[in-house]
Amino acid sequence: MESRERRPGPSVRTRIEEVTGEGVSGREDRLATEEPLEIRLAWPGSAARRVWVTMRTPGHDFELAAGWLLHEGVAGVGQVAGVAYCTDEDLTPEQELNVVTVTLDGPPMGDPGHRHVAQSSGSSACGVCGKDSIAEALTVRHGQRWAGPAPDPGVVRRLPGLLRDQQPLFARTGGVHAAGLFTADGDALVVREDVGRHNAVDKVTGARLLAGASPAEACLVVSGRAGFELVQKAVATGVGTLVAVGAPTSLAAGLASRAGLGLYGFTTEDRTVRYSG
């Protein structure tokens, strides 16, 4: 079970001064927590090694690690044997509960030493940052595609509102993204929040993996734009449709079309724009 006893939770209190036309007033506010998470990978016959460091909102760290490994093509469905916080004695207080080790039941699908060397790191802003080369950044891994029904446009328009209803951290801080997996009828299966839009998607996929469920479903809904890295992750997990509140990029729309992924942007209760599918 994950514990956050010695580290901050998903939000922290702070004192602020609010300046309006009527003057200055002091009050307490909340900020979304942002801290590094180091992901280590181990399997039988191989000691744990660092494969990635990302900035994230603490919480659901095991899910983030498992989902990231699948999206990157390092681990497949059913290959994660265990996830735990690292307990090395030489960890500093800042590192405690910020280092996660994922143990696979066998060697990884891809060579983590090739694309994810010891110095690999990322930010909470973009999942593609830090790739070893342009060719690696554009590599797309295809999961088993969703074969069930697709949502009709009426359901698509309702999805961002349904996602927003399950964003308590955003309501407190205004500083996080969200991603959610939904059925074709608009029923929420899992929703996660994070300062990084790609982390939120990793957490959603990881939640399904660690629950023993397929990450492929009818709809993945994201609270921001549909950038290339989010379409990349949707294709890797095999979801049928990606619904975004914001716009897609040209690269994202092109990938969605080639992969057969339904892609919607600018989605509100009154309007949505279909780019593929």
Side-chain angles (χ1 to χ4, degrees):
M1 179 180 295
E2 297 183 42
S3 169
R4 303 298 299 175
E5 296 176 357
R6 292 171 290 173
R7 304 297 303 160
S11 67
V12 294
R13 293 185 177 91
T14 188
R15 294 295 301 179
I16 65 165
E17 288 187 344
E18 185 171 8
V19 183
T20 68
E22 298 178 353
V24 179
S25 60
R27 64 177 175 86
E28 183 180 86
D29 199 2
R30 279 194 170 269
L31 298 176
T33 306
E34 184 175 29
E35 290 200 336
L37 178 71
E38 177 179 326
I39 300 173
R40 297 181 182 180
L41 186 65
W43 59 91
S46 176
R49 67 179 74 179
R50 180 173 67 184
V51 292
W52 192 246
V53 178
T54 187
M55 303 302 294
R56 99 302 189 189
T57 298
H60 305 290
D61 293 335
F62 296 175
E63 297 174 357
L64 193 164
W68 181 84
L69 289 169
L70 183 138
H71 290 148
E72 292 294 312
V74 177
V77 175
Q79 197 176 2
V80 174
V83 191
Y85 286 113
C86 181
T87 57
D88 289 355
E89 293 183 357
D90 60 351
L91 291 180
T92 67
E94 292 75 19
Q95 292 173 315
E96 291 180 355
L97 300 184
N98 280 338
V99 181
V100 165
T101 299
V102 181
T103 302
L104 306 182
D105 61 6
M109 293 171 56
D111 179 9
H114 172 62
R115 296 186 63 240
H116 310 294
V117 294
Q119 299 303 315
S120 291
S121 62
S123 75
S124 60
C126 165
V128 170
C129 298
K131 297 293 188 183
D132 297 327
S133 68
I134 295 297
E136 290 291 349
L138 299 179
T139 298
V140 178
R141 290 153 185 82
H142 293 255
Q144 184 172 351
R145 288 189 56 195
W146 168 249
D152 65 45
V155 172
V156 169
R157 292 196 304 271
R158 290 194 293 114
L159 288 172
L162 296 173
L163 181 70
R164 181 66 180 84
D165 290 342
Q166 299 193 48
Q167 295 178 239
L169 185 57
F170 179 81
R172 292 196 298 270
T173 67
V176 292
H177 294 278
L181 200 63
F182 289 78
T183 68
D185 294 326
D187 297 323
L189 299 173
V190 57
V191 175
R192 293 291 183 262
E193 297 179 277
D194 198 279
V195 290
R197 59 174 62 88
H198 62 291
N199 289 342
V201 176
D202 289 340
K203 288 179 178 181
V204 166
T205 296
R208 297 287 284 177
L209 291 176
L210 296 183
S214 171
E217 249 297 338
C219 306
L220 176 65
V221 187
V222 295
S223 60
R225 63 183 178 85
F228 175 78
E229 74 277 9
L230 295 190
V231 172
Q232 209 174 23
K233 291 176 186 292
V235 172
T237 52
V239 298
T241 301
L242 176 62
V243 178
V245 171
T249 64
S250 60
L251 202 60
L255 172 58
S257 180
R258 293 193 302 275
L261 173 72
L263 177 62
Y264 292 84
F266 295 111
T267 307
T268 67
E269 285 187 6
D270 301 319
R271 172 180 181 260
T272 190
V273 178
R274 181 162 58 193
Y275 293 88
S276 74

